[in-house]
Amino acid sequence: MKLFENERFCVSQGFLSGWRIEDKLSRTTLVPNWLMKERIGLVWMQVRRTRKASSVNSHFSERVMFESFAIGVAEPMSIEGRFWADHTPNEIAEEIITAANALMRP
């Protein structure tokens, strides 16, 4: 199931295939490591349900989250990659929602 798509990435998740990130620029399909798979599951649950009331627009928060996740998987040594690897799911979810809210309220 396709969950997110922009000009650079397509993030999908399937019951049997698991998480997949298609990098359209390099024409490659990336599979997240176990840590990233664990993090996206826990963060997505918080953004979608637990912390939904904190979001100005929860759908936009999900888009910000998936884009950040895709960058983190594609570029593990980037700021996004280190952010996903070094922070707890609670910290990631809080930061994602804060960033999305800031983008919604200029």
Side-chain angles (χ1 to χ4, degrees), residues 3 11-13 17-20 30-32 37 40 44 66 69:
L3 300 169
V11 177
S12 60
Q13 196 240 1
S17 61
W19 289 97
R20 298 282 185 264
L30 307 165
V31 178
K37 288 177 186 178
I40 189 61
W44 189 20
F66 283 126
F69 173 68

Side-chain angles (χ1 to χ4, degrees), residues 13 15 52 62 69 96:
Q13 196 240 1
F15 180 71
K52 185 176 183 175
E62 282 189 40
F69 173 68
I96 294 277

Side-chain angles (χ1 to χ4, degrees), residues 36 68 71-73 75-87 92 95:
M36 293 296 274
S68 172
I71 293 168
V73 171
E75 303 167 9
M77 298 312 292
S78 68
I79 293 170
E80 295 290 331
R82 298 307 324 149
F83 174 71
W84 279 84
D86 296 342
H87 292 83
I92 296 168
E95 186 61 35

Side-chain angles (χ1 to χ4, degrees), residues 12-100:
S12 60
Q13 196 240 1
F15 180 71
L16 297 175
S17 61
W19 289 97
R20 298 282 185 264
I21 292 88
E22 178 188 344
D23 186 336
K24 296 177 181 180
L25 298 180
S26 65
R27 295 187 176 130
T28 57
T29 300
L30 307 165
V31 178
N33 63 30
W34 68 268
L35 177 67
M36 293 296 274
K37 288 177 186 178
E38 176 186 82
R39 294 278 161 88
I40 189 61
L42 294 171
V43 171
W44 189 20
M45 184 185 344
Q46 288 192 36
V47 170
R48 184 168 218 162
R49 291 192 180 103
T50 311
R51 298 176 186 252
K52 185 176 183 175
S54 301
S55 293
V56 172
N57 181 326
S58 62
H59 295 294
F60 186 71
S61 293
E62 282 189 40
R63 291 187 56 78
V64 170
M65 177 195 66
F66 283 126
E67 183 171 22
S68 172
F69 173 68
I71 293 168
V73 171
E75 303 167 9
M77 298 312 292
S78 68
I79 293 170
E80 295 290 331
R82 298 307 324 149
F83 174 71
W84 279 84
D86 296 342
H87 292 83
T88 67
N90 288 341
E91 294 168 335
I92 296 168
E94 186 176 323
E95 186 61 35
I96 294 277
I97 291 170
T98 299

